[in-house]
């Protein structure tokens, strides 16, 4: 049995989203404040802790609808006009679908939609709705009429008095839990539920017996041995003590093999008691001389109590032996925070497993019923962990939850791990198909963001070659695409070095903009991923003009050329041809309108015409750059004319070219030849510019400026 899917509605920023779950582990990724923690909370509230619902869990955009109901109630003459159906599309709800096989029908008999059911999934809708809507109506009307009477008595002064409206009423103290409850309705996968219809029959919440939930929350601290708190990652010593009390302590329920241990403890106590009496003999004599303790002058005795559990609860119970230093041991607290956190979280997973299965619980003797699904939620496990530790944890987490023979022998019990993360190192370790991407969207007129969830499974369809390329590339280079507000795809090393400067100057530094270095001709391979994520994307590409010629054997060939109008040139850049703007001819590309270079969330930027004044005594003429590098040089031509550049490699080479070429066209051709023949390496040029005194004044080429302005306008 597996948790297959949930559909969440009207819960915080998840106004209407569907989340599919992997059979083993599902990873929630996305930018900050995109809804990952909200989804975790929804799973816990609906499936395990409905008493944690608050008015703030209702989607904010629907508060007006709630207040409209309250205003309507003020004009109602009797409660016969009050209907629970008015709340169905306002209150939080979650459709839960569980995947089962035929042998597990007996476990979900109350979820079967019919006696003839023969499907793969059973489901129910959990909705947090008014218990008795007429009781809520009566209580609100009474409170509101009392307020109106008081305000009328005082001349209807414009002051806020509780309750201002219906949301104010249900937010007050325990009103929400008093007047609302979680109600369960049966669903049928064979029926069309697109209009959000369910059976009229309420059923008892079946998931309490089907799903066991454990959670490690994001906002956690690491305690000292004497620390306290509800959400603490304890020392391993303390966790072992608690585990011992619950699962091992022989005093709770003695078994045959525990007798020798208890006998040894008892003998130790007797010896210790004798020593205590000898040590305190003089003090006891003094006390007895004062007629203490009084009544019939009983004798004072001192007895010790050795508790095995308390003996491993101190901060030195767990020690670490230093390699190569025999006999040298250090207490747990002297290890780094990250290492302690790693061990502690992993041990918590083991505790979750043991608690779920009751395998070592002496107080149940294995008789307690086990839920078939163990759902474990971990929020941001990367806290306090360095990169390698994060990778180790995500690789080993599922082992900690399942490494027991009972689960290997009983396949009807399953563990599903759900992790929310901002870590590229964690996302790098998992298959993309188990990722769920949370995306912020703004579709409401009041500009309140909501979220949608995108299943990354089958992103590339049948194109396995592209899937392999993109997946491997991201794993090796960049996986922060899943956490960025926007991404910029660039050509190569020169853009990688210099573009961050241009991004900062455009005042985009406060945004998480991920710059991904990928050869422009291969950028099109990212199209399925970008389209699936719907993430704001700027592609910065070269125009890559090719001219046609015939070789000595009479065969048609092509070679790189400076772009020119009217020369029947074509681009060799597959991104320009197959993605945006889907044009091949250089003439079209050079004259294309700006709006043809973008769609809803993607824009292409490539070199076009630039007006350059080569010398003071010459006119401005049009020049067509081939690459980022020559466009950059033309945009900063005066920087390269400086007399005191010194020995700056590629920068000096370009300066000398400017001095030795009398006209712009000849300079451009010489520059093009040196770039193409790698006599000027692009990375070297960018690095040399970092040393230039005028680096802070470096100007981005016009096409890049235009692209960054577009990006900024979209982000703003």
């Amino acid at each position: 049995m597996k948790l297959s899917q949930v559909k969440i509605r009207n819960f915080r920023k998840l106004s209407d989203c569907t989340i599919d779950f992997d059979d083993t582990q599902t990873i929630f990724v996305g930018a900050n404040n995109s809804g990952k923690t909200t989804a975790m909370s929804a799973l816990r509230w609906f499936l395990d802790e409905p008493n944690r619902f608050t008015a703030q869990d209702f989607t904010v955009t629907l508060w007006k609808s709630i207040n409209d109901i309250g205003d309507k109630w003020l004009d109602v003459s009797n409660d016969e006009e009050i209907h629970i159906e008015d709340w169905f599309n306002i209150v939080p709800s979650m459709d839960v679908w569980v995947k089962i096989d035929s042998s597990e029908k007996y476990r979900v008999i109350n979820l079967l939609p019919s006696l003839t059911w023969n499907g793969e999934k059973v489901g129910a809708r959990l909705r947090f709705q008014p218990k008795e809507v007429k009781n809520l109506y009566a209580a609100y009307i009474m409170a509101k009429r009392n307020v109106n009477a008081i305000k009328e008595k005082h001349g209807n002064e414009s002051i806020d008095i509780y309750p201002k409206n219906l949301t104010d009423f249900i937010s007050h103290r325990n009103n929400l839990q008093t007047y609302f409850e979680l109600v369960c309705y049966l669903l049928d996968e064979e029926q069309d539920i697109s209009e959000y219809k369910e059976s009229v029959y309420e059923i008892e919440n079946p998931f309490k017996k089907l799903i066991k939930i454990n959670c490690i929350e994001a906002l956690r601290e690491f305690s000292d041995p004497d620390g306290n708190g509800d959400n603490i990652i304890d020392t391993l010593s303390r966790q072992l003590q608690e585990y011992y009390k619950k699962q091992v302590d022989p005093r709770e329920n003695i078994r045959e093999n525990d007798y020798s241990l208890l006998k040894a403890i008892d003998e130790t106590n007797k010896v210790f008691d004798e020593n205590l009496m000898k040590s305190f003999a003089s003090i006891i004599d003094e006390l007895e001389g004062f007629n203490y303790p009084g009544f019939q002058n009983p004798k004072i005795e001192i007895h010790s109590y050795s508790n095995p559990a308390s003996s491993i609860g101190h901060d030195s119970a767990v020690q670490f032996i230093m390699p190569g230093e025999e006999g040298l041991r250090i207490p747990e607290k002297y290890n780094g925070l990250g290492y302690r956190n790693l061990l502690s979280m992993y041990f918590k997973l083991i505790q979750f497993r043991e608690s779920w299965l009751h395998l070592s619980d002496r107080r149940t003797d294995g008789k307690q019923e086990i839920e078939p699904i163990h759902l474990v939620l971990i929020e941001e496990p990367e806290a306090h962990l360095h990169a390698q530790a994060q990778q180790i944890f995500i690789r080993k987490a599922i082992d900690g939850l399942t490494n027991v023979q009972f689960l290997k022998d009983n396949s009807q019990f399953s563990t599903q791990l759900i992790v929310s993360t901002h870590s590229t190192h964690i996302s790098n370790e998992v298959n993309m198909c188990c990722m769920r991407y949370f995306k912020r969207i703004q579709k409401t007129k009041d500009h309140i963001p909501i979220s949608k969830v995108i299943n990354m499974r089958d992103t590339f369809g049948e194109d396995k070659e592209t899937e392999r390329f993109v997946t491997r590339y991201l794993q090796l280079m960049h996986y922060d695409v899943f956490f960025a507000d926007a991404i910029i795809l660039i050509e190569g090393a020169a853009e990688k070095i210099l573009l961050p400067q241009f991004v900062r100057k455009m005042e985009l530094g406060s945004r998480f903009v991920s710059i991904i270095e990928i050869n422009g001709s291969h950028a099109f391979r990212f199209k399925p991923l970008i389209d699936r994520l719907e993430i704001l994307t700027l592609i910065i590409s070269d125009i890559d003009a090719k001219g046609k010629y015939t070789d000595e054997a009479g065969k048609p060939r092509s070679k790189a050329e400076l772009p020119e109008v009217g020369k029947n040139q074509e681009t060799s850049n597959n991104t320009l041809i197959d993605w945006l703007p889907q044009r091949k001819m250089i003439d079209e590309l050079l004259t294309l309108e700006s709006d043809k270079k973008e769609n809803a969330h993607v824009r292409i930027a490539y070199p076009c015409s630039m007006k350059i004044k080569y010398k003071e005594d010459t006119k401005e003429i049009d020049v067509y750059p081939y690459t980022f590098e020559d466009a950059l040089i033309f945009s900063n031509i005066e920087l390269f004319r400086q007399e005191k550049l010194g020995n700056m490699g590629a920068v000096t080479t370009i300066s000398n070219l400017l001095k030795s070429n009398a006209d712009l066209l000849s300079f451009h051709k010489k520059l093009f030849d040196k770039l193409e023949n790698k006599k000027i390496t692009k990375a070297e040029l960018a690095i040399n510019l970092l040393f230039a005194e005028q680096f802070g004044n470096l100007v981005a080429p016009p096409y890049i400026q235009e692209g960054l302005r577009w990006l900024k306008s979209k982000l703003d």
Side-chain angles (χ1 to χ4, degrees):
M1 188 178 298
K2 305 281 187 181
L3 178 63
S4 175
Q5 183 189 85
V6 299
K7 181 174 183 177
I8 304 169
R9 294 189 79 218
N10 307 329
F11 185 83
R12 301 182 196 170
K13 62 180 59 182
L14 302 180
S15 65
D16 189 358
C17 78
T18 300
I19 305 173
D20 297 305
F21 294 98
D22 189 82
D23 285 351
T24 302
Q25 64 180 6
T26 305
I27 311 298
F28 292 172
V29 296
N32 284 322
N33 203 31
S34 59
K36 302 184 296 295
T37 299
T38 297
M40 292 285 207
S41 298
L43 289 169
R44 294 172 65 188
W45 280 208
F46 280 104
L47 295 175
D48 191 48
E49 304 174 86
N51 61 318
R52 296 190 63 174
F53 275 102
T54 69
Q56 284 67 45
D57 292 324
F58 290 60
T59 299
V60 173
T61 54
L62 294 174
W63 286 10
K64 182 180 183 303
S65 299
I66 296 173
N67 291 331
D68 288 345
I69 290 176
D71 294 341
K72 173 185 169 184
W73 283 356
L74 295 174
D75 299 325
V76 169
S77 57
N78 60 77
D79 62 13
E80 296 301 320
E81 301 178 51
I82 307 302
H83 307 290
I84 184 66
E85 290 79 11
D86 294 340
W87 291 84
F88 284 178
N89 290 318
I90 298 174
V91 296
S93 69
M94 186 166 76
D95 291 359
V96 184
W97 293 97
V98 175
K99 183 169 54 179
I100 68 170
D101 59 42
S102 56
S103 65
E104 298 174 308
K105 280 187 181 180
Y106 74 96
R107 292 184 178 273
V108 294
I109 195 69
N110 57 338
L111 282 173
L112 299 182
S114 69
L115 295 175
T116 60
W117 178 87
N118 195 30
E120 295 182 350
K121 295 190 297 183
V122 293
R125 176 164 299 147
L126 301 172
R127 187 163 59 215
F128 193 69
Q129 65 185 49
K131 296 178 183 178
E132 293 288 341
V133 68
K134 292 181 180 180
N135 292 343
L136 174 61
Y137 158 77
Y140 175 67
I141 292 300
M142 181 180 293
K144 195 66 178 174
R145 286 174 177 170
N146 181 56
V147 167
N148 291 340
I150 293 173
K151 293 181 76 172
E152 185 177 349
K153 185 177 180 179
H154 292 273
N156 288 315
E157 295 182 30
S158 58
I159 61 172
D160 290 332
I161 303 177
Y162 164 83
K164 296 180 291 185
N165 45 44
L166 188 51
T167 56
D168 190 29
F169 179 79
I170 65 177
S171 302
H172 189 65
R173 294 182 179 175
N174 295 320
N175 281 355
L176 188 73
Q177 293 294 333
T178 300
Y179 295 105
F180 284 71
E181 65 180 347
L182 194 67
V183 179
C184 186
Y185 298 90
L186 191 65
L187 294 175
D188 186 350
E189 67 172 330
E190 294 184 357
Q191 295 181 356
D192 181 14
I193 59 171
S194 59
E195 297 182 2
Y196 215 65
K197 296 178 180 178
E198 71 278 325
S199 166
V200 295
Y201 301 105
E202 297 181 18
I203 60 173
E204 183 181 352
N205 188 348
F207 302 113
K208 285 286 187 181
K209 296 181 179 180
L210 296 178
I211 303 176
K212 169 72 172 180
I213 293 183
N214 289 117
C215 180
I216 298 178
E217 297 182 18
L219 298 174
R220 56 187 181 270
E221 300 175 353
F222 210 106
S223 80
D224 289 324
D226 298 325
N228 53 58
D230 295 329
N231 194 28
I232 288 176
I233 297 294
D234 279 327
T235 62
L236 190 57
S237 301
R238 182 182 293 187
Q239 287 183 276
L240 286 170
Q241 183 188 39
E242 291 301 314
Y243 181 81
Y244 187 92
K245 288 178 180 178
K246 293 178 181 179
Q247 312 289 4
V248 183
D249 194 349
R251 295 181 180 274
E252 292 287 328
N253 186 8
I254 188 171
R255 297 180 182 180
E256 181 65 31
N257 58 1
D258 297 324
Y259 182 79
S260 58
L261 172 63
L262 293 176
K263 183 180 178 181
I265 292 173
D266 188 64
E267 291 175 352
T268 301
N269 283 338
K270 289 178 180 178
V271 173
F272 191 33
D273 291 349
E274 291 177 4
N275 280 292
L276 286 174
M277 289 300 296
K278 291 177 181 178
S279 300
F280 287 99
S282 60
I283 296 174
I284 293 172
D285 287 343
E286 280 189 64
L287 291 173
E288 291 178 344
F290 284 105
N291 197 34
Y292 180 87
F295 181 70
Q296 295 184 349
N297 293 330
K299 289 288 185 180
I300 299 173
E301 287 189 349
I302 299 175
H303 289 276
S304 61
Y305 176 75
S306 295
N307 184 353
S310 62
S311 68
I312 61 171
H314 57 89
D315 66 333
S316 295
V318 175
Q319 298 185 350
F320 294 84
I321 302 173
M322 302 304 294
E325 301 288 341
E326 190 171 347
L328 180 58
R329 293 171 170 82
I330 61 171
E332 177 186 2
K333 69 179 182 179
Y334 289 106
N335 281 288
L337 188 60
Y339 187 60
R340 293 160 60 193
N341 193 19
L342 178 64
L343 289 177
S344 184
M345 283 199 298
Y346 193 79
F347 189 73
K348 268 192 176 295
L349 299 184
I350 296 173
Q351 287 180 294
F352 292 162
R353 180 192 74 200
E354 297 292 304
S355 174
W356 168 46
L357 299 177
H358 313 290
L359 294 180
S360 303
D361 197 333
R362 297 171 177 270
R363 291 163 291 186
T364 64
D365 288 323
K367 296 177 182 178
Q368 190 168 333
E369 187 175 353
I370 301 172
E371 301 89 346
I373 299 173
H374 187 202
L375 195 65
V376 179
L377 315 177
I378 306 178
E379 296 182 277
E380 301 178 19
E382 63 268 20
H384 307 299
L385 298 184
H386 62 76
Q388 188 179 10
Q390 295 173 33
Q391 293 171 324
I392 291 171
F393 178 79
I394 200 64
R395 286 200 298 264
K396 297 292 186 180
I398 199 66
D399 291 340
L401 292 167
T402 59
N403 189 24
V404 63
Q405 191 62 42
F406 178 85
L407 293 177
K408 297 174 184 177
D409 297 337
N410 296 272
S411 59
Q412 67 269 35
F413 299 106
S414 62
T415 298
Q416 291 175 268
L417 176 65
I418 301 173
V419 177
S420 69
T421 184
H422 297 105
S423 169
T424 60
H425 305 288
I426 288 177
S427 59
N428 188 47
E429 283 296 312
V430 300
N431 196 302
M432 193 183 296
C433 70
C434 69
M435 291 186 186
R436 304 296 179 264
Y437 176 69
F438 284 71
K439 177 178 176 60
R440 299 190 301 260
I441 54 177
Q442 284 190 345
K443 289 186 176 180
T444 60
K445 59 182 179 182
D446 37 15
H447 303 292
I448 297 175
I450 56 177
S451 299
K452 66 184 273 187
V453 181
I454 300 169
N455 189 343
M456 298 309 297
R457 186 184 294 136
D458 301 324
T459 296
F460 298 94
E462 299 299 319
D463 189 355
K464 300 304 178 184
E465 181 183 349
T466 295
E467 181 178 7
R468 280 194 302 272
F469 172 82
V470 174
T471 301
R472 290 171 180 174
Y473 188 87
L474 290 176
Q475 287 177 334
L476 291 171
M477 302 294 293
H478 297 275
Y479 239 129
D480 56 2
V481 61
F482 295 107
F483 310 100
D485 297 316
I487 63 174
I488 303 176
L489 300 179
I490 60 174
E491 282 272 349
E495 293 97 320
K496 182 70 172 178
I497 295 169
L498 298 177
L499 193 64
Q501 168 72 357
F502 303 145
V503 169
R504 283 192 293 270
K505 293 181 75 171
M506 192 59 66
E507 297 181 350
L508 286 166
S510 61
R511 300 286 193 159
F512 185 5
V513 179
S514 178
I515 300 174
I516 301 178
E517 179 188 347
I518 181 77
N519 186 285
S521 61
H522 290 286
F524 73 99
R525 296 186 182 276
F526 283 76
K527 183 178 186 301
L529 177 63
I530 301 300
D531 287 346
R532 177 61 68 90
L533 297 179
E534 299 177 11
I535 189 171
L536 200 62
T537 302
L538 173 65
I539 309 167
I540 296 177
S541 180
D542 294 338
I543 198 167
D544 294 331
K546 298 287 183 183
K548 299 177 182 178
Y549 73 99
T550 303
D551 65 12
E552 295 178 354
K555 295 182 178 180
R557 302 289 187 185
S558 64
K559 63 177 181 178
E561 291 182 348
L562 285 176
E564 289 187 71
V565 176
K567 295 293 185 177
N568 199 33
Q569 294 172 326
E570 297 180 353
T571 181
S572 60
N573 191 320
N574 287 324
T575 299
L576 300 177
I577 298 170
D578 298 326
W579 193 354
L580 275 176
Q582 296 186 339
R583 300 289 196 279
K584 190 173 185 178
M585 304 307 297
I586 294 296
D587 284 1
E588 288 186 86
L589 290 168
L590 292 175
T591 58
L592 199 65
E593 299 88 346
S594 181
D595 61 350
K596 297 292 195 305
K597 299 178 183 178
E598 65 181 86
N599 59 26
H601 59 274
V602 181
R603 194 189 194 283
I604 188 80
Y606 55 85
C608 290
S609 173
M610 296 178 64
K611 289 191 177 296
I612 302 296
K613 188 174 184 178
Y614 190 62
K615 294 183 178 180
E616 289 189 6
D617 57 349
T618 60
K619 295 181 179 179
E620 282 188 340
I621 62 172
D622 288 326
V623 64
Y624 299 97
Y626 181 85
T627 64
F628 164 74
E629 289 75 23
D630 54 347
L632 178 73
I633 292 165
F634 286 130
S635 300
N636 299 274
I637 197 166
E638 294 306 316
L639 184 151
F640 291 90
R641 290 189 188 278
Q642 294 182 60
E643 295 292 332
K644 299 180 180 180
L645 288 174
N647 187 14
M648 295 181 63
V651 174
T652 304
T653 300
I654 294 165
S655 178
N656 292 334
L657 278 178
L658 284 167
K659 294 174 183 177
S660 61
N661 287 272
D663 61 89
L664 179 60
L665 182 58
S666 61
F667 166 74
H668 198 188
K669 286 181 177 179
K670 293 283 182 61
L671 176 63
F672 174 77
D673 288 339
K674 287 186 178 295
L675 289 169
E676 278 296 297
N677 297 320
K678 306 223 173 1
K679 293 181 180 179
I680 297 177
T681 61
K682 299 177 179 182
E684 182 195 2
L685 171 62
I687 292 171
N688 291 154
L689 284 170
L690 295 177
F691 293 96
E693 292 184 8
Q694 300 299 316
F695 175 76
N697 298 325
L698 201 67
V699 177
Y703 72 99
I704 292 180
Q705 292 187 42
E706 187 180 355
L708 292 176
R709 282 195 294 269
W710 172 86
L711 193 65
K712 188 174 188 300
S713 69
K714 293 292 185 180
L715 289 171
D716 291 343

